[in-house]
Each structure stands twice: as structure tokens, then as C-alpha cells.
Amino acid sequence: MTSTKTAKASVKTRSGSKTARKSARAAAKPADAIKLLKDDHKEVKAWFKQFEALEEDSEKQALADQICLALTVHTQIEEEIFYPAIREAIDDDDLLDEAEVEHAGAKHLIAEIQAMKAGDRLFDAKVTVLGEYVNHHVEEEETEMFPEARDTKVDLKDLGVQMAARKEALMAQARKG
């Protein structure tokens, strides 16, 4: 019986080790830049959907603050790291110029939302319109820009590492401030 218990314990240990190894590999394997951006898109789109269903001003305020922070960080890492790398590699300045203009429009709305409180006139409308801007922008990035970026020689994994580090630094800075 002792050997059976030992064998079972050994299997459990190996199983646990395999899970631990798999988790460690996943953590060590950075997402490429496009996956990181798509994950951000998916997350913020879900938050906009949640916002539509909320009725309490305190919940709307908290979620709007979360959305604004996420979008501010997201646009910053795109503008500082992703767009410059892609601009050099693809021959589509118009697409990147439009993305920058879309960012400017979103930043303007974000500033207006941050200057307001949930319950203020137009607060909900501004968050809704920001969501519509974001949906349009995401659609263009994911159907036009990202496929073009994948067809380049840009090291998207290295870019993803840089973007993830910058995102984490910006989020840490926001938590302190």
C-alpha cells in the first residue's frame, strides 16, 4: 500500500509541476504587440457594454474612470511604440494618420468625461459616443492595420515586450497618482 500511495503522490507532484511549468512558460512567453492590443480592445469593449446596463451613478463613475484610464494608457503605448514601428514598415501613412486623428478625438472626449461626474447632463452620452469612436477605431485597426503589420518584418514579439513593460509602468504611475 505504501508504494501505491507513493505512486499517487508522485503523480500528483508531477501533475502540479506540469501545471506550474505551463504557467511559468505562459508568463515568460510575452504576447506579441497585436495580441496585446486586441486583448485591450476586447476588455474595453466589454466595459462599454457593461456601462450601458448600469443605473447607479457611483458604478457609472467607477467604470467610466476605468475606461478612461485604460484608453489613455492604450493610446499612449500605441503612439509611443506601436505606430512608429509600424509606420516605418508599412506603406500606408493615411491609415496611421487617421488613427492618430481618431486618438485625438478620443482624448478630447476622455478629457471631457474626466472633468464631469456621473449624473451630469451629457455624461452618459459622452461615454456612449466614446465607445462608438473606439468601436470604429478598433474595427479599422483589426481589419486593416494589424494584417498589414503582420506582413512586415517588424518583430511583433519584441514590440509586445516593450509595450507590455510601458503599459505596466503607466498603470503603476496611475495607481500612485
Side-chain angles (χ1 to χ4, degrees), residues 14-100:
R14 270 184 278 164
S15 175
S17 295
K18 183 177 180 182
T19 303
R21 284 193 308 270
K22 187 176 179 181
S23 295
R25 276 195 310 270
K29 181 180 167 189
D32 77 19
I34 292 172
K35 178 165 180 4
L36 184 144
L37 295 174
K38 281 185 169 183
D39 288 349
D40 282 358
H41 293 167
K42 185 177 177 181
E43 182 177 57
V44 81
K45 284 171 89 171
W47 291 339
F48 279 115
K49 234 184 190 32
Q50 273 181 267
F51 185 88
E52 291 173 17
L54 295 177
E55 293 185 20
E56 292 294 319
D57 284 348
S58 62
E59 292 175 348
K60 286 181 177 184
Q61 185 69 54
L63 191 52
D65 290 345
Q66 188 175 344
I67 289 168
C68 289
L69 173 61
L71 289 175
T72 299
V73 169
H74 180 87
T75 58
Q76 191 166 341
I77 64 172
E78 280 186 331
E79 291 172 3
E80 288 179 1
I81 301 168
F82 187 72
Y83 290 171
I86 297 307
R87 185 177 291 276
E88 289 181 21
I90 66 173
D91 187 25
D92 199 342
D93 282 345
D94 288 346
L95 183 62
L96 286 150
D97 291 347
E98 288 172 21
E100 285 187 39

Side-chain angles (χ1 to χ4, degrees), residues 10 20 60 79 140 142 161:
S10 175
K60 286 181 177 184
E79 291 172 3
E140 285 190 346
E142 293 188 2
V161 169

Side-chain angles (χ1 to χ4, degrees), residues 140-165:
E140 285 190 346
E141 279 190 342
E142 293 188 2
T143 62
E144 297 176 44
M145 186 184 299
F146 293 172
E148 285 188 45
R150 284 230 183 268
D151 288 342
T152 68
K153 290 182 173 21
V154 171
D155 185 344
L156 294 172
K157 288 213 185 294
D158 180 58
L159 215 52
V161 169
Q162 293 174 48
M163 290 167 62

